[in-house]
Amino acid sequence: MLKTENINDFIFTGYTSLDIVFEKKTKCAESSKWVVVKGGFMEPWIGIGGGVNGKSVIDGLFKIERIRGFLRYKLVFCPTISDPPGLCNNIGRFFDNENGLRLIMSENFKPFEVVFVDVEDAPRSGRSVV
C-alpha cells in the first residue's frame, strides 16, 4: 500500500513523474528511495538506495498509470534517455529462485498492479504501509 498525505489527494496518472521513497529504511541502505539498477540480473531491477553494490543506476522517474477499471493502477519507469523519447516501461514481478520475489523493469512481464489505500483505513494486519 502507498501512503497518501490526505484522503482528498488526487492520484494523477500518466503525466506526473514521482520518486518513490519508503518511510523507513534498513540500516544497510544509503537511502530508501527506489532506483532502477542495470546489471547483475537479466533485466533492470528495482532497488533502494544510491549506488547498489557498484551497479549502475538508470536515471529517470516513476509514473502511475490507470489499468482495468476504476481503482487499479500500475507503476512504470521512464528513463531520462530512451529510444524513442518518452518511452516508459512496466514494473513487473519476477520470482528469482535464488533471491525470491523481485521487481523488474520489463515489457515481457505482467505489470505489478497497485491499489492505493488511505493510511487511516488500512487494516491492522501487520502489513507495512509505505
Side-chain angles (χ1 to χ4, degrees), residues 37-50:
V37 181
K38 187 175 183 177
F41 196 66
M42 64 179 188
E43 300 276 0
W45 49 280
I46 310 302
I48 59 169

Side-chain angles (χ1 to χ4, degrees), residues 7-114:
I7 193 167
N8 296 318
D9 287 349
F10 292 96
I11 298 172
F12 294 100
T13 59
Y15 59 89
T16 302
S17 299
L18 57 111
D19 285 325
I20 299 174
V21 181
F22 285 101
E23 199 170 272
K24 296 180 182 178
K25 72 175 190 71
T26 62
K27 292 178 184 177
C28 63
E30 190 176 300
S31 80
S32 61
K33 178 182 172 182
W34 281 22
V35 293
V36 176
V37 181
K38 187 175 183 177
F41 196 66
M42 64 179 188
E43 300 276 0
W45 49 280
I46 310 302
I48 59 169
V52 182
N53 296 329
K55 310 267 187 309
S56 64
V57 173
I58 300 171
D59 287 332
L61 292 170
F62 294 91
K63 290 185 182 180
I64 301 167
E65 292 185 356
R66 184 182 309 268
I67 56 174
R68 288 195 307 128
F70 182 64
L71 296 175
R72 297 276 185 216
Y73 300 92
K74 68 178 180 176
L75 298 174
V76 298
F77 181 76
C78 308
T80 303
I81 300 171
S82 64
D83 186 23
L87 176 71
C88 297
N89 297 290
N90 286 332
I91 303 299
R93 295 188 303 176
F94 178 78
F95 185 76
D96 175 3
N97 289 329
E98 291 181 27
N99 301 307
L101 195 59
R102 176 187 294 243
L103 293 176
I104 63 171
M105 185 176 78
S106 176
E107 289 301 318
N108 299 322
F109 291 89
K110 180 182 174 191
F112 179 56
E113 294 184 19
V114 294

